[in-house]
Amino acid sequence: MKRTMPWSEPVDVISSDESSSSDSDVDVDYGLDGQQSSNDTTTDQPTVEITSEDLLFKRAEMYQEYMKQLPIPTQRGSIIPFISWVGLGKSIKQLYQQPLHYLTNILLKRWDQLRFGSEDEHRPLDTIIHPCKAEATIWLIEEVHRLTSSHHHLAKLWLSDPMYHVFIDSIFQNS
């Protein structure tokens, strides 16, 4: 096949998702040297594959950036009665209309599990620890998790736990 235009003149290239009937018969591209080359590879751009792991890391990064933007309340509402750490966490979320960090939710669950088998296991937690101290503790830990946690660490934890989303609070809309 001979080239009808001289090499020195510019050539307009039109790209379309649809191919005409004449294009469908021929799937061959001739390079600058006249040699036949394949249409399904590009030499100047590397192929980028996005895996589900990459998406999870991106999601963890977005989550951590969002959590950093939430201010820790400086004014406490009122004394919150509570039976368990998870229960106190739920009350705090409702009262302040804020989600708690994934790592905080995991920690509260673990603290409740630590009570299993203790002599005070069935005693309401607010009779053991003063509610103001317990709430202040949660906010202190929440601040640490929001401001210093690595999204890489979060993503690795999420990869190891297929049910991680259970401990991610929905976003509250302030009205």
Side-chain angles (χ1 to χ4, degrees):
M1 186 153 132
K2 299 273 183 180
R3 183 171 174 89
T4 58
M5 300 174 84
W7 286 107
S8 61
E9 291 186 26
V11 177
D12 290 333
V13 177
I14 300 172
S15 176
S16 172
D17 290 343
E18 299 176 13
S19 61
S20 66
S21 59
S22 63
D23 289 343
S24 62
D25 296 334
V26 179
D27 193 23
V28 176
D29 182 26
Y30 292 92
L32 293 177
D33 59 358
Q35 297 294 320
Q36 185 176 343
S37 64
S38 170
N39 273 346
D40 44 328
T41 60
T42 58
T43 56
D44 58 343
Q45 294 183 3
T47 303
V48 177
E49 288 186 31
I50 298 176
T51 65
S52 60
E53 187 174 317
D54 292 335
L55 291 174
L56 192 63
F57 270 81
K58 185 64 177 169
R59 188 175 297 144
E61 182 178 23
M62 290 170 47
Y63 175 79
Q64 188 61 31
E65 285 303 314
Y66 171 76
M67 293 304 288
K68 279 183 182 180
Q69 302 304 316
L70 297 176
I72 300 293
T74 55
Q75 300 293 324
R76 303 294 184 255
S78 60
I79 294 178
I80 304 170
F82 63 102
I83 297 171
S84 67
W85 287 107
V86 170
L88 178 58
K90 286 180 183 178
S91 295
I92 286 173
K93 293 173 206 179
Q94 289 175 345
L95 183 63
Y96 296 100
Q97 293 293 296
Q98 280 196 17
L100 289 179
H101 197 281
Y102 166 81
L103 294 173
T104 303
N105 287 323
I106 294 291
L107 186 60
L108 296 178
K109 178 185 170 199
R110 288 186 182 153
W111 283 352
D112 280 340
Q113 290 172 341
L114 290 174
R115 296 184 66 204
F116 296 160
S118 72
E119 60 187 47
D120 292 328
E121 176 182 357
H122 299 291
R123 189 171 153 200
L125 200 53
D126 63 355
T127 63
I128 301 170
I129 299 172
H130 192 279
C132 291
K133 287 182 181 180
E135 182 182 346
T137 300
I138 289 176
W139 283 121
L140 178 63
I141 290 168
E142 180 69 10
E143 186 173 27
V144 169
H145 288 153
R146 287 182 184 181
L147 299 179
T148 66
S149 297
S150 161
H151 70 277
H152 293 286
H153 178 69
L154 280 176
K156 288 177 184 177
L157 289 173
W158 293 354
L159 281 170
S160 66
D161 181 10
M163 297 296 290
Y164 73 91
H165 59 277
V166 172
F167 297 101
I168 296 176
D169 295 327
S170 60
I171 298 170
F172 291 91
Q173 297 296 327
N174 292 334
S175 48

